[in-house]
Amino acid sequence: MSIELYDHPLSPYAQKVKIALREKEIAFTAPMPADLGSGRTADTFAKANPRAEVPTLLHDGAAIWDSTVILEYIEERFPTPALRATDALTQAKVRMIEDAMDTHFEAITWGLSEVINFGRAEGEAAQRLQARGGEEIRSWHQWLDARLAGQAWFTGARFGWGDLAVIPFLNGAAGFGHAPPPATALADWFARANARPSVAATRKEAEAVAMNASGNTLQMVRAAIESGAFKREYRDHRLEWMIRNGAIDIVARGLERHNIRFTEAFQPE
C-alpha cells in the first residue's frame, strides 16, 4: 500500500488529514508540490487536483482532493480505529463544527497571515484588521467552548473527527497570540489535543517549515509574493472576510501586482 499526500505543513486542511492518518497508524509520504502557489494548471499537481490545492491524496491510482472528502475516504477505507462518531446527532454536530472551522474560522487566520506575515496592510489599516481578527477569534473560542458542553472531546468520549477538524486552526490562531482563554473547557481540551502524538508531530512539521535552517520560510514566501512568483489564493470565505472588513483595496492591489489568484476555471477530465 502506498499513500502519497500532496501537502504544505502550514495548511490546516492538510494537517487535518495527516492527523487522521497518524491516528490510524497509516504510513504515508507528504511531498510539497514545487508549483504550489504558481496558479499554473498544466502540471502534474494540477492534473491530480484541478484546484491546485493541498491536500490531495493519491492512493491505488486514484487522486482525491478536498480535505473533508479525503477524511471520508480514509474513514471508509481504513475504518479502524474509528474517528467518526457512532450516533447521527453527534455526526451532524461534528460536520457543522468542521464546516465552520474550514470556512468562517480559517478566513480569520488567513487574513491575519496576509497582514502580519505578508505585509498586505500597514499602519492603521493593519491595526484595524488585526483587532477585528482578534475579536472574531475570541467569539469563536466562546462558541467552541459551548460545543464541548461537558464532553472531553468534540467527538464525544474519545478523540476523533471533530477534534482533528478544530486543532489545526486553533494552533494557527495561537501562533498569532490568540490561544484559548485559560480556565475554560476549551483551554483544557487544547492542551490535551496538542499532547496527542498525532497532533504533536503535525504541529512540529509546521513549526519546522516556518523556521528552517536556511532562514525564515515565511519571509521567503513574502519575497516571492512581492515578486509575483507566488500567488496567495483568494476564494470564497477568504475574499468575503477581507471585503467585509473593509480591505477590498488589498484585493485590488493584489490583482494589480499579480500576486493573488483565484481558482482556475474548472477543467473536467
Side-chain angles (χ1 to χ4, degrees), residues 116-185:
I116 296 170
N117 292 329
F118 304 125
R120 298 277 192 182
E122 298 177 346
E124 186 278 331
Q127 293 174 10
R128 175 174 52 80
L129 288 171
Q130 290 184 58
R132 183 56 183 159
E135 291 170 4
E136 292 190 16
I137 288 171
R138 287 190 290 275
S139 177
W140 280 104
H141 282 161
Q142 293 175 2
W143 185 83
L144 288 166
D145 191 70
R147 300 286 79 72
L148 284 169
Q151 301 180 140
W153 303 102
F154 285 106
T155 315
R158 55 185 169 77
F159 181 93
W161 194 317
D163 307 283
L164 64 85
V166 174
I167 191 61
F169 298 97
L170 261 60
N171 278 336
F176 291 119
H178 300 293
T184 62

Side-chain angles (χ1 to χ4, degrees), residues 46-50 63 65 266-269:
K47 287 178 181 177
N49 183 342
W65 43 272
F266 195 90
Q267 298 294 328
E269 296 180 358

Side-chain angles (χ1 to χ4, degrees), residues 8-61:
H8 191 293
L10 294 178
S11 166
Y13 302 106
Q15 290 176 31
K16 291 193 315 186
V17 174
K18 291 192 292 186
I19 293 169
L21 290 169
R22 285 169 169 148
E23 285 288 328
K24 291 177 178 289
E25 299 184 346
I26 299 171
F28 65 96
T29 58
M32 190 185 307
D35 53 311
L36 184 64
S38 69
R40 295 191 298 271
T41 57
D43 46 45
T44 303
F45 172 48
K47 287 178 181 177
N49 183 342
R51 289 181 178 172
E53 295 175 342
V54 295
T56 299
L57 186 79
L58 305 181
H59 182 230
D60 286 347

Side-chain angles (χ1 to χ4, degrees), residues 107-263:
I108 306 167
T109 52
W110 186 87
L112 289 176
S113 187
E114 284 289 84
V115 174
I116 296 170
N117 292 329
F118 304 125
R120 298 277 192 182
E122 298 177 346
E124 186 278 331
Q127 293 174 10
R128 175 174 52 80
L129 288 171
Q130 290 184 58
R132 183 56 183 159
E135 291 170 4
E136 292 190 16
I137 288 171
R138 287 190 290 275
S139 177
W140 280 104
H141 282 161
Q142 293 175 2
W143 185 83
L144 288 166
D145 191 70
R147 300 286 79 72
L148 284 169
Q151 301 180 140
W153 303 102
F154 285 106
T155 315
R158 55 185 169 77
F159 181 93
W161 194 317
D163 307 283
L164 64 85
V166 174
I167 191 61
F169 298 97
L170 261 60
N171 278 336
F176 291 119
H178 300 293
T184 62
L186 186 63
D188 292 342
W189 169 90
F190 185 68
R192 284 185 284 107
N194 270 304
R196 294 188 72 83
S198 63
V199 177
T202 303
R203 187 184 70 251
K204 287 178 181 177
E205 289 170 350
E207 293 169 349
V209 79
M211 180 66 75
N212 59 31
S214 62
N216 191 317
T217 300
L218 293 174
Q219 290 180 355
M220 295 165 64
V221 173
R222 180 169 178 169
I225 289 172
E226 291 172 353
S227 71
F230 188 95
K231 300 175 176 66
R232 289 268 285 172
E233 185 180 25
Y234 276 62
R235 57 183 291 250
D236 42 67
H237 54 282
R238 298 168 175 173
L239 180 63
E240 177 184 323
W241 192 86
M242 299 296 282
I243 293 176
R244 175 163 54 82
N245 286 288
I248 194 170
D249 57 317
I250 292 177
V251 181
R253 283 197 302 273
L255 289 171
E256 291 172 359
R257 298 173 182 176
H258 304 288
N259 60 17
I260 70 171
R261 71 182 180 95
F262 298 100
T263 306

